[in-house]
Amino acid sequence: MMDATAKPLRVPPEISVYAEQHGIFDLIQKMVSSLLTDRPEDPIQYLIDMLKKSGGDEVPRIFILGPPASGKKTIAKMLCDQINAVLLKPEDFFLDDVSERVKEALSYKMSNKEIPNTLWAMLIQERLSKVDCFKRGWVLVGFPTTREQAVLLQEASVMPQHVVLLDAPDTVLIERNLGKRIDPYSGDVYHTTFEWPSDPNVQKQLVKPDNISEKETAKELLAYRRHYHGIFNTYNNICKTINADQPCIDVFSQVLTYVQQQHRSAAPFTPRILLYGPPGSGRSLQAALIAQKYSIVNICCGQLLKEAAAGDTKLGELLKPYIEYGQQVPDNLVIKILKDGLSNFDCTTRGWVLHGFPRDVEQATELKDAGFVPNRVVFLDITDDAVMERLTLRMTDPVTGERYHSVYKPPPNPKVQSRLQRNPKDSEDNVQHHLDVYHASVWEMEKFYDNVIHINADQDPHTVFEYIESCIVNPIPKKIQKPKTAELHV
């Protein structure tokens, strides 16, 4: 807790960790947004009811849009099978309900009149309020088709998380549409060339849908192109256009990847980065690059221990024998040093990148119990052979202090070569020992931390940095169920 008598007032680091873990800022942002959108008569009770609801924020809310024959329904069905969401098609809204709005919409259909956009918005809002959509999420296919419809949905508080626009050249779409066939019993869509059913009974019952001639398809495409930019601009920040002129499974893979992405939050974000990897994986270099670019604090555990041992303190006196004789410092002393370092004002306000600790689950647990939980955990993966090549061939010039490497940076001349020295810690036996220690803990460490990010460290350091950087600045993708083999057939 904050002490009002102590100046300056500082927010304890555990408060920001708690707020980030539980999405406090995003929750407040959603509550305020919902208040402004719905404008309830009793705002307090509205917010109480909203907080009592559970699961509403985590479920998918997706629009799948596109021109005729772009594969909207096929992709939407595959997506719903994958993420267990409710598949919503506008034509199905009239089948299972007998509400007054459905009756009104049916009266328009029976009279061959166009259903007003305001009524469509109310129908969709009514359907999305049902328990299945609230608990499982939903994927709406083929609506809205105009900017006016999109605006009316926004006014009705129908706000998707992701909007997917499937698109392809008109010539491709016309060819696809001519071969479309529909199963009148299941509603499944097939194609005479690209996706013909294997079941002979299904083949016999397929029918050719109305209005799929080349002329009629071209007319529908013209209408779609006229309204495309209006829809795209309405959902510009959450919309992605995907090329539908490729194998269905490739389109589905791109759609699934997109809907797993979380949009960037406006919440305050303090980087707390942990770099974990074997010796020679480049942790120190990557930490230095990150700290330099983003002005966060570089916390090297080994360096902190050396600085503490050099200090004229009781703790420094305890550390000196371990540092001088190259022995492992007890975990309780390391945690005390790290706690002091990570609690500094710079670390709590600017963030930190930690490397060299923890090395195993026991140390990771102690770090967590001390209140320091990283929000990005990066595993730098590299083979043992590559580590051996990187470390055992390193040498130092005792005269200039310059570092060389037999493969990557050989000495400039024989004179320098003759005086180079190798650090005993770079011997093959010592490096192998550290690799064995790493391999003994890496599997448990991966289980301990959620959302571990694996990066191949056996490549150019700046390429590795770019991968790490993208993982820091972008939200972590949401976890979605693993696909079942039967669900991925096309």
Side-chain angles (χ1 to χ4, degrees), residues 264-394:
R264 190 167 298 179
S265 171
F269 177 73
T270 303
R272 301 187 304 276
I273 306 163
L274 171 63
L275 299 182
Y276 181 77
S281 58
R283 294 167 299 178
S284 299
L285 174 60
Q286 297 303 326
L289 293 173
I290 294 168
Q292 181 182 23
K293 181 164 184 177
Y294 291 99
S295 298
I296 62 179
V297 183
N298 185 355
I299 302 293
C300 174
C301 182
Q303 186 63 30
L304 279 183
L305 294 176
K306 291 178 182 178
E307 291 175 359
D312 189 16
T313 62
K314 291 183 179 180
L315 186 58
E317 292 297 324
L318 290 174
L319 288 173
K320 281 180 182 178
Y322 296 102
I323 301 299
E324 289 177 359
Y325 294 103
Q327 297 177 349
Q328 185 171 327
V329 180
D331 289 350
N332 62 324
L333 296 180
V334 178
I335 286 293
K336 184 171 179 57
I337 297 294
L338 279 176
K339 189 174 181 180
D340 292 341
L342 295 173
S343 298
N344 286 335
F345 183 69
D346 283 352
C347 286
T348 57
T349 55
R350 291 160 46 197
W352 45 263
V353 52
L354 172 64
H355 54 106
F357 190 94
R359 293 184 298 273
D360 52 43
V361 171
E362 289 74 19
Q363 293 180 346
T365 303
E366 291 184 21
L367 188 67
K368 181 180 179 181
D369 293 341
F372 301 101
V373 181
N375 48 26
R376 294 290 189 275
V377 180
V378 180
F379 277 38
L380 298 174
D381 300 330
I382 187 171
T383 64
D384 289 2
D385 289 341
V387 169
M388 284 292 184
E389 183 181 88
R390 284 186 177 188
L391 299 186
T392 61
L393 300 181
R394 296 191 302 190

Side-chain angles (χ1 to χ4, degrees), residues 59-78:
V59 298
R61 304 190 303 273
I62 303 166
F63 285 174
I64 304 288
L65 308 176
S70 58
K72 302 184 294 292
K73 294 179 181 178
T74 301
I75 295 299
K77 185 177 184 303
M78 295 173 67

Side-chain angles (χ1 to χ4, degrees), residues 24-90:
I24 301 299
F25 186 92
D26 291 327
L27 176 61
I28 294 173
Q29 187 180 42
K30 177 177 171 51
M31 292 167 65
V32 173
S33 176
S34 298
L35 276 177
L36 295 175
T37 303
D38 296 343
R39 298 186 290 275
E41 294 182 1
D42 187 351
I44 302 300
Q45 187 59 46
Y46 173 86
L47 293 177
I48 292 174
D49 293 339
M50 185 176 178
L51 289 172
K52 287 181 178 179
K53 295 179 180 180
S54 60
D57 287 340
E58 301 300 325
V59 298
R61 304 190 303 273
I62 303 166
F63 285 174
I64 304 288
L65 308 176
S70 58
K72 302 184 294 292
K73 294 179 181 178
T74 301
I75 295 299
K77 185 177 184 303
M78 295 173 67
L79 188 60
C80 287
D81 290 342
Q82 175 74 18
I83 65 178
N84 194 33
V86 179
L87 176 60
L88 300 177
K89 296 179 286 187

Side-chain angles (χ1 to χ4, degrees), residues 340-460:
D340 292 341
L342 295 173
S343 298
N344 286 335
F345 183 69
D346 283 352
C347 286
T348 57
T349 55
R350 291 160 46 197
W352 45 263
V353 52
L354 172 64
H355 54 106
F357 190 94
R359 293 184 298 273
D360 52 43
V361 171
E362 289 74 19
Q363 293 180 346
T365 303
E366 291 184 21
L367 188 67
K368 181 180 179 181
D369 293 341
F372 301 101
V373 181
N375 48 26
R376 294 290 189 275
V377 180
V378 180
F379 277 38
L380 298 174
D381 300 330
I382 187 171
T383 64
D384 289 2
D385 289 341
V387 169
M388 284 292 184
E389 183 181 88
R390 284 186 177 188
L391 299 186
T392 61
L393 300 181
R394 296 191 302 190
M395 293 166 288
T396 304
D397 186 344
V399 176
T400 63
E402 185 76 17
R403 286 187 173 187
Y404 295 96
H405 191 280
S406 299
V407 176
Y408 305 119
K409 187 182 177 183
N413 53 64
K415 182 179 180 180
V416 174
Q417 172 73 39
S418 64
R419 65 177 185 239
L420 293 183
Q421 297 179 358
R422 181 175 286 113
N423 194 318
K425 71 177 184 179
D426 290 338
S427 67
E428 290 190 12
D429 291 342
N430 191 57
V431 172
Q432 187 60 55
H433 169 71
H434 287 292
L435 284 172
D436 293 340
V437 171
Y438 165 78
H439 289 305
S441 302
V442 63
W443 184 76
E444 291 183 341
M445 287 285 285
E446 185 171 4
K447 287 183 62 179
F448 182 84
Y449 286 110
D450 295 328
N451 299 316
V452 166
I453 301 163
H454 285 273
I455 294 177
N456 176 22
D458 190 14
Q459 50 186 331
D460 180 77

Side-chain angles (χ1 to χ4, degrees), residues 21-23 26-27 30 53-62 83 85 133-138 161-162 259-260 262 476-480:
Q21 286 180 335
H22 296 277
D26 291 327
L27 176 61
K30 177 177 171 51
K53 295 179 180 180
S54 60
D57 287 340
E58 301 300 325
V59 298
R61 304 190 303 273
I62 303 166
I83 65 178
C133 290
F134 179 77
K135 292 294 185 181
R136 294 164 50 196
W138 46 266
Q161 292 174 325
H162 298 87
V259 301
Q260 288 182 91
Q262 298 187 62
I476 299 175
K478 294 180 290 186
K479 289 184 177 179
I480 289 187

